[in-house]
Amino acid sequence: MSTEAWTLVAEGEEAAIFGYGVLTAELAGAERTRALSATDAHRVARDRARAALSAQDLNPEVPAAFEVPTLTNATGAMAVAAAIELRLTDLYVALSASTQDADRKYASQTAQETTARAVMWGWEPQAFPTALADQKAPVPATTTSQGSASSPNDGAKIE
Amino acid sequence: MSQQAPTPRRRMPWARGSVSRRSVLVAGGLGISAGLLGCSAPSIPGFTSDPDEEPKLLTVASEQELIALYSAVIAAIPNLAGALDPIRTQHTQHLSAIAADLAQAPEPAPAPTVPANRAAALNLLRKAERTAARLRTETAVVAEDTEVIELLVRIGASEASHNAYLQKINA
């Protein structure tokens, strides 16, 4: 059970790193600095997820490319950043329920960090944070042909 | 991890010795008075039908304190009502969700004394949200039911986002 949750977290963190790599180009000043700092945090989190999987002798394949909505300005970039973070909140909530002790603590603390970052990107707090209905977070490019639900109409495939 | 080494679903802190889960929670510096729990718990700890009753009661007490704190700040600084009312409402939603299946209705917390200065009041709320978020994590670690764990983690995430929100409006 925890294997699946860690795998989703590892993939979600890869998508986050990829997405921030695209959206950071639209940002300047303090927002750019914040995006770079978030990217670092997601690299550390990705490495932790992969380490947890390696400890189970697992090295799941990571998608080589993700689909990111087309970005034309800083506002759009911040909306995607918020979506990235909230999607991870869901993945860490799921991880918390399928792990114990130190791993559960880590999952809870990381869910708090991702949700707090979403607020810094302009998302309004909610009682029960969850991924945005109009999903803007990057999704693996290999799965976007499976359904329009995870494939924004204005999405651009970036490889 | 758990696949390779079959272990009980939970390694329960209170099963390691004579330490009860309540004393683990309280000794963990979580700050909620055992007296309050003692008054409101409808039955003897360790013999309740709901294994997560104590995590729920801890969370109920904490949410009540937060609601009382927000109410006191809004009363002291009415200008903040527009910004703080939605957050107070979210704590009420946390309270309703976690107290939904408790046998006993929670009592409201007494009104605390708060500073009249805007920045000081917002800092007080931020500190309370950070403490609450930490408490949700600690409580989620000892909870057993999957839905309760997820609810506590999501509530903690909400409270961490409140801290960020308060930081923004105080900037």
Side-chain angles (χ1 to χ4, degrees):
Chain A
M1 193 157 127
S2 79
T3 301
E4 186 187 346
W6 276 117
T7 303
L8 290 172
V9 163
E11 186 179 296
E13 292 290 4
E14 289 288 357
I17 294 162
F18 187 95
Y20 269 101
V22 174
L23 69 90
T24 302
E26 298 292 331
L27 302 175
E31 285 159 0
R32 183 179 173 84
T33 304
R34 193 192 305 144
L36 292 171
S37 165
T39 307
D40 286 344
H42 288 300
R43 283 208 185 92
V44 171
R46 184 265 322 267
D47 291 347
R48 168 134 188 184
R50 295 197 71 81
L53 290 165
S54 293
Q56 301 173 60
D57 290 326
L58 292 170
N59 287 293
E61 203 172 310
V62 176
F66 297 87
E67 187 162 306
V68 182
T70 305
L71 300 172
T72 53
N73 55 36
T75 306
M78 288 168 63
V80 171
I84 287 171
E85 300 294 352
L86 290 171
R87 180 159 168 263
L88 283 168
T89 296
D90 278 341
L91 298 178
Y92 281 104
V93 168
L95 181 68
S96 72
S98 60
T99 51
Q100 299 175 21
D101 303 326
D103 283 343
R104 186 183 298 170
K105 183 177 180 180
Y106 167 76
S108 175
Q109 289 170 335
T110 313
Q112 293 181 10
E113 288 169 15
T114 58
T115 314
R117 275 199 290 269
V119 168
M120 300 313 286
W121 290 124
W123 175 75
E124 295 283 329
Q126 289 174 10
F128 308 104
T130 190
L132 303 176
D134 54 338
Q135 184 64 261
K136 293 187 177 75
V139 293
T142 48
T143 64
T144 53
S145 60
Q146 291 175 1
S148 58
S150 61
S151 176
N153 290 333
D154 60 346
K157 188 175 175 181
I158 298 171
E159 290 179 276
Chain B
M1 286 169 221
S2 57
Q3 289 185 329
Q4 292 172 337
T7 55
R9 182 174 159 264
R10 292 271 319 124
R11 281 185 285 124
M12 301 174 189
W14 58 93
R16 288 171 190 152
S18 59
V19 182
S20 75
R21 182 160 62 166
R22 168 172 300 170
S23 58
V24 169
L25 284 167
V26 174
L30 300 177
I32 302 301
S33 76
L36 187 153
L37 290 173
C39 292
S40 55
S43 51
I44 302 165
F47 295 92
T48 59
S49 54
D50 181 356
D52 288 327
E53 185 173 7
E54 286 189 30
K56 288 176 186 172
L57 288 170
L58 276 165
T59 310
V60 163
S62 168
E63 291 294 341
Q64 287 171 321
E65 286 174 8
L66 284 162
I67 292 163
L69 190 59
Y70 274 88
S71 296
V73 170
I74 290 168
I77 313 173
N79 279 349
L80 282 172
L84 298 185
D85 248 339
I87 306 299
R88 178 174 58 181
T89 300
Q90 291 179 21
H91 285 297
T92 330
Q93 292 173 294
H94 296 165
L95 178 61
S96 303
I98 201 73
D101 54 353
L102 285 177
Q104 196 158 315
E107 299 280 331
T113 308
V114 296
N117 173 275
R118 175 189 160 101
L122 289 173
N123 279 331
L124 183 68
L125 291 173
R126 287 190 64 194
K127 189 179 171 196
E129 294 283 7
R130 288 195 299 269
T131 303
R134 273 198 298 277
L135 177 59
R136 300 304 166 254
T137 294
E138 299 297 335
T139 310
V141 168
V142 296
E144 293 189 46
D145 181 78
T146 297
E147 285 182 20
V148 174
I149 294 164
E150 290 193 352
L151 179 60
L152 288 168
V153 171
R154 223 179 273 282
I155 289 174
S158 170
E159 287 161 344
S161 78
H162 293 169
N163 177 45
Y165 169 83
L166 294 167
Q167 182 185 355
K168 278 176 86 173
I169 66 172
N170 200 16

